[in-house]
Amino acid sequence: MPVNKLYEAICSQVAYVLKEERMKRGLSLNSLSEKAGLSRQTISFIEQELRTPNLDTLLRITSALGVDLEKVIAQARLRAKGK
């Protein structure tokens, strides 16, 4: 897989994993946005893959969800590679 395609696939899977984690915890977009200190629209755009989050945003979301960013990225990378 070319590097830029792998990068896009990982970004896509990060968005999917974050949404999965939010839903597992039964959190609405509003409640996660409040916990993370971000707008509801920002989280929605990330989950819909309309925006790629920066490191600060990822750390805020994963902290609010109680998950390790490293694990989210590792899981996204595995999924992107089809494993």
Side-chain angles (χ1 to χ4, degrees):
M1 182 179 285
V3 175
N4 61 340
K5 289 290 184 188
L6 179 60
Y7 171 80
E8 289 173 13
I10 292 170
C11 288
S12 174
Q13 289 301 316
V14 165
Y16 187 78
V17 170
L18 291 174
K19 184 175 183 177
E20 265 185 348
E21 292 295 334
R22 176 180 65 78
M23 294 178 79
K24 267 191 223 176
R25 287 158 178 73
L27 294 172
S28 67
L29 286 170
N30 287 332
S31 59
L32 179 57
S33 70
E34 287 176 19
K35 289 178 83 167
L38 299 165
S39 73
R40 179 191 179 285
Q41 186 176 34
T42 295
I43 294 174
S44 178
F45 282 175
I46 291 166
E47 289 185 358
Q48 295 176 56
E49 301 176 46
L50 298 174
R51 182 175 295 160
T52 301
N54 63 27
L55 180 59
D56 177 67
T57 301
L58 283 171
L59 288 169
R60 287 174 180 234
I61 293 170
T62 55
S63 177
L65 289 170
V67 298
D68 290 327
L69 176 56
E70 296 86 359
K71 289 181 182 176
V72 169
I73 292 172
Q75 185 176 8
R77 182 171 295 180
L78 285 173
R79 289 181 180 188
K81 290 181 178 180
K83 296 180 180 179

